[in-house]
Amino acid sequence: MDDSLNICLPCGLCCDGTLIGHVQLNREELPAVRELMDIEDESGNGFFLQPCSKYCDGCSIYSQRPKQCASFNCGLLTSHEENKLDSDSAIEIINRVKQKKSTIEKSLVLLNIELQSQSFYFKMVELKKVLQKIKSESSLTQKHIELTAELKELDDLLIEKFGISSY
Ligand code: SF4
Ligand code: SF4
């Protein structure tokens, strides 16, 4: 195992629904992937939603994983592979993301905000709209303001370190 894989194993943020909401499949790989997992199929274009059912402390179908998965390199991994970021610093950033995620999830429970999406990624898309609505109704509480700030910090971290576009 090379050093770059070491940061992906404790991370998994591109498989557990944090960074990405769905994985797009191309037509050629649809039959093979369908043999491995349930996929959504919209007029011949397949995809599956995250969190990925094949993620369990790493990819359980690693050698047969879809093309989008095999070609995906986040900014953090790229920086690490280019020796611009050592493993400890990369793991520290990954842990910061997980910590922020956990803080946001706790706030959602505390504020009784129920979101319908499966993945954290789409939940955050939904949450932005919910917070905007509460703001437009002038019903923002201090807890809502703190949650908005947490979400913004997570967004900034993902954009800056992982090269992911905003939720
Ligand atoms: S988000 Fe980046 S570092 Fe984390 S598992 Fe995916 S490619 Fe690896
Ligand atoms: S197929 Fe494997 S690499 Fe792709 S999202 Fe699922 S667990 Fe991650």
Side-chain angles (χ1 to χ4, degrees), residues 7-8 11-14 19 72-74 76-77 94 162:
I7 75 159
C8 287
C11 177
L13 294 171
C14 60
L19 257 59
F72 181 78
N73 256 33
C74 74
L76 196 77
L77 181 57
I94 290 163
F162 291 78

Side-chain angles (χ1 to χ4, degrees), residues 15 52 54-55 59 61 66 69:
C15 302
C52 179
K54 296 300 172 189
Y55 179 67
C59 178
I61 55 165
C69 302

Side-chain angles (χ1 to χ4, degrees), residues 101-165:
K101 206 179 144 183
S102 164
T103 304
I104 290 171
E105 280 167 338
K106 282 181 193 152
S107 294
L108 290 178
V109 174
L110 202 72
L111 287 163
N112 211 14
I113 297 177
E114 283 182 24
L115 303 168
Q116 304 306 314
S117 305
Q118 260 187 303
S119 66
F120 185 81
Y121 178 91
F122 283 126
K123 277 195 171 104
M124 293 308 99
V125 174
E126 259 188 275
L127 178 58
K128 275 193 175 171
K129 289 180 187 156
V130 169
L131 290 170
Q132 270 163 12
K133 185 167 181 286
I134 295 171
K135 189 178 177 191
S136 73
E137 292 164 352
S138 305
S139 308
L140 277 184
T141 64
Q142 184 57 34
K143 289 279 174 219
H144 290 123
I145 293 168
E146 285 165 17
L147 176 57
T148 305
E150 285 291 345
L151 182 53
K152 165 96 173 56
E153 279 176 31
L154 177 58
D155 238 351
D156 290 347
L157 191 56
L158 295 183
I159 292 166
E160 185 194 337
K161 303 293 184 189
F162 291 78
I164 300 296
S165 57

